[in-house]
Every structure is written in C-alpha cells, then in structure tokens.
C-alpha cells in the first residue's frame, strides 16, 4: 500500500500546475470538480489531461471510471407526442437508450378528472444503446382533451413516469381563444351551433397553480391584467368533456 501511495504522489507531482485542478468523472455523471469524489452521484474522479477546461470536461467521452455508484435513468426519452388520426389517437415516442426496460404502460386521463388509467402496454428492448421508436393507437379516446403519459417498467418491477402529452378530439363544441399573445384580456367563444349551456373555465400557470376560474355561455371576455407575464393553460369543461387552450401574457 505504501508503494502505491508513493507512486500516486510521484505521478501527481509530474502533472503541470495549471492542470492539477482538472478532474473528470465517469461519463454517466459528467461533472468536472476540483478533486475527490462527486458527492452527488458517488463517482470516483481522476485526472485526465483531455480536460482542458471545465466545459470540455463535461462533454468528454474518453474519461474512465475508477468506480461509480451512478444510477443513470433506465430510459432516456427524446420525444413523446400524440395526435388525432381519424377517430383514434396516435402516440409516438423515441428513446436514446434503455437499461433493463421491460416496457411501457400507456396511461390516459381526461381534463375533467386528471386521474390516469391504464389503456395499454408496449414491450421495451431490455438494455440497448441504440435509439428505438415506439407507437401506440388509442382506438377509444375520450371526448375533448386527452392527457397521456408513459409509465416505464423495469424487469425488476421498478418504474418511472414520462412527461405528459396532450391532444384534443375534434368536436362541434370547439372553443376558440383570442388572442394567443394577450396584454390585458382574452376572449373565449364557442361555435354558434353549440348546444352546451354552461362552460367552466380554469386558468393554470406553468407550475400547475390555478390562477383564475369562471363560467360562461356563448362567450366571455376575461380580464387577465393581474396575471404575471408568462405562459398559461386554459381548461374549459363542458358536457362531461373538456378542451385545453393556451395563451401567453405579454407586457403592456
């Protein structure tokens, strides 16, 4: 052990002074730190002359691990989309890599309840570094707005959730929002042949907090002057259905 420590001290002494602080972690936890182990992921770090700068160190791929407790995500999603095709909803998603992936449970919720339920399963590719493409068809989507998410299942039973994808089913009761870039007011209106007697409106910010709520028949002009600048989601519920709209509050 004494001989090994002596050798390490000798090797470090040979490193130029301006390079001593450049240590690299395993690529699974690509952080460059001054010395020692990365406390956030347990990766053992070491000196690598390829780390000319911290920026380059975070992108280097030739760093070797001296040992790591890193736990990279079992599935790396690159996209998750849904769109209406005829009377169905077509879901598509792509992964960059997978680890121990048994497959994906497809979950769906309506804008009324936001309670997700199981609608199908798509098998995964186990462990692979090759990008994969997946599709799923929901032949019985809900009226109005459909929310989808994927629950990725490992072979050992562990799971993780994807982001949420949203799509509206076409309806004769379509609601229009104008303008999409609004300073002080937005107008919500329905088609003239709508048979809905009451629309319930809830406005949410990007943190999911409800910031406004109202009801209307036919149309309503909403005063949004008190809202902060940013993006907002408008959920309109009617006849056991719902529709999701969006607008951006801009400076006056």
């Amino acid at each position: 052990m004494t001989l090994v420590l002596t050798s390490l001290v000798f090797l470090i002494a040979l490193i130029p002074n301006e390079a001593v602080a450049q240590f690299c972690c395993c690529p699974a936890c690509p952080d460059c730190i001054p010395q020692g182990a990365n406390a956030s992921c347990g990766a053992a770090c070491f000196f690598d002359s390829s780390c000319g700068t911290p920026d380059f160190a975070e992108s280097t791929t030739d760093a070797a691990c001296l040992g790591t407790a890193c736990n990279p995500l079992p599935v790396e999603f690159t996209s998750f989309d849904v769109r209406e095709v005829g009377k169905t909803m077509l879901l598509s998603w792509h992964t960059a890599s997978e680890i121990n992936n048994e497959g994906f449970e497809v979950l769906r919720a309506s804008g009324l309840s936001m309670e997700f339920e199981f609608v199908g399963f798509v098998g995964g590719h186990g462990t692979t570094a090759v990008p994969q493409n997946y599709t799923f068809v929901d032949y019985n989507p809900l009226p109005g707005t459909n929310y989808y998410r994927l629950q990725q299942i490992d072979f050992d039973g562990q799971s993780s959730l994807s982001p949420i994808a949203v799509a509206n089913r076409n309806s004769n009761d379509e609601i229009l929002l104008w303008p999409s870039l609004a300073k002080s007011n937005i107008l919500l209106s329905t088609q003239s042949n709508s048979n809905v007697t009451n629309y319930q409106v809830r406005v949410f910010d990007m943190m999911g907090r409800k910031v406004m709520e109202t009801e209307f028949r036919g149309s309503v002009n909403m005063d949004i002057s008190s809202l902060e600048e940013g993006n907002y989601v408008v959920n309109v519920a009617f006849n056991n259905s719902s529709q999701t709209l969006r607008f951006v509050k801009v400076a006056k």
Side-chain angles (χ1 to χ4, degrees):
M1 177 64 70
T2 303
L3 178 60
V4 172
L5 291 176
T6 303
S7 299
L8 286 174
V9 170
F10 176 76
L11 287 174
I12 293 176
L14 296 178
I15 298 172
N17 292 334
E18 64 272 16
V20 169
Q22 300 300 327
F23 283 79
C24 290
C25 289
C26 162
C29 295
D31 297 310
C32 204
I33 61 176
Q35 60 184 359
N38 185 340
S40 65
C41 68
C45 298
F46 65 100
F47 177 79
D48 186 338
S49 60
S50 68
C51 293
T53 66
D55 290 338
F56 184 81
E58 291 184 356
S59 63
T60 186
T61 57
D62 64 353
C65 271
L66 296 182
T68 175
C70 295
N71 292 306
L73 293 175
V75 169
E76 182 183 354
F77 288 98
T78 56
S79 68
F80 177 36
D81 302 293
V82 58
R83 60 188 178 91
E84 186 178 29
V85 178
K87 295 183 179 181
T88 71
M89 291 291 185
L90 174 63
L91 287 71
S92 60
W93 64 97
H94 308 277
T95 65
S97 62
E98 302 178 18
I99 299 175
N100 197 34
N101 179 29
E102 180 178 359
F104 307 88
E105 291 185 350
V106 180
L107 309 177
R108 181 190 64 200
S110 72
L112 293 175
S113 67
M114 287 305 295
E115 295 180 359
F116 285 90
E117 61 180 3
F118 174 86
V119 293
F121 181 83
V122 177
H125 283 80
T127 298
T128 176
V130 178
Q132 303 293 333
N133 303 319
Y134 296 90
T135 59
F136 177 85
V137 178
D138 183 1
Y139 291 98
N140 298 291
L142 301 170
T145 305
N146 286 255
Y147 296 82
Y148 294 92
R149 75 185 318 175
L150 305 171
Q151 180 161 276
Q152 182 272 323
I153 308 294
D154 287 354
F155 283 110
D156 59 9
Q158 298 188 44
S159 64
S160 59
L161 291 170
S162 75
I164 295 175
V166 184
N168 290 317
R169 285 192 71 184
N170 287 330
S171 168
N172 291 330
D173 297 317
E174 183 180 6
I175 300 126
L176 304 177
L177 183 152
W178 184 88
S180 58
L181 299 177
K183 295 181 180 180
S184 57
N185 294 82
I186 57 171
L187 174 66
L188 292 172
S189 63
T190 63
Q191 296 182 355
S192 59
N193 62 347
S194 174
N195 59 4
V196 180
T197 58
N198 191 48
Y199 294 85
Q200 298 178 330
V201 182
R202 295 178 297 171
V203 180
F204 300 90
D205 63 15
M206 289 296 98
M207 298 297 292
R209 298 172 297 198
K210 183 172 66 177
V211 294
M212 296 184 69
E213 186 173 19
T214 189
E215 297 182 0
F216 74 96
R217 296 182 180 182
S219 65
V220 63
N221 192 351
M222 298 182 65
D223 182 1
I224 62 166
S225 57
S226 62
L227 298 181
E228 297 180 356
E229 296 175 22
N231 294 275
Y232 292 88
V233 174
V234 180
N235 179 268
V236 184
F238 55 93
N239 283 8
N240 295 321
S241 182
S242 68
Q243 184 173 335
T244 299
L245 305 162
R246 292 172 174 80
F247 71 90
V248 180
K249 169 67 184 303
V250 297
K252 295 182 180 179

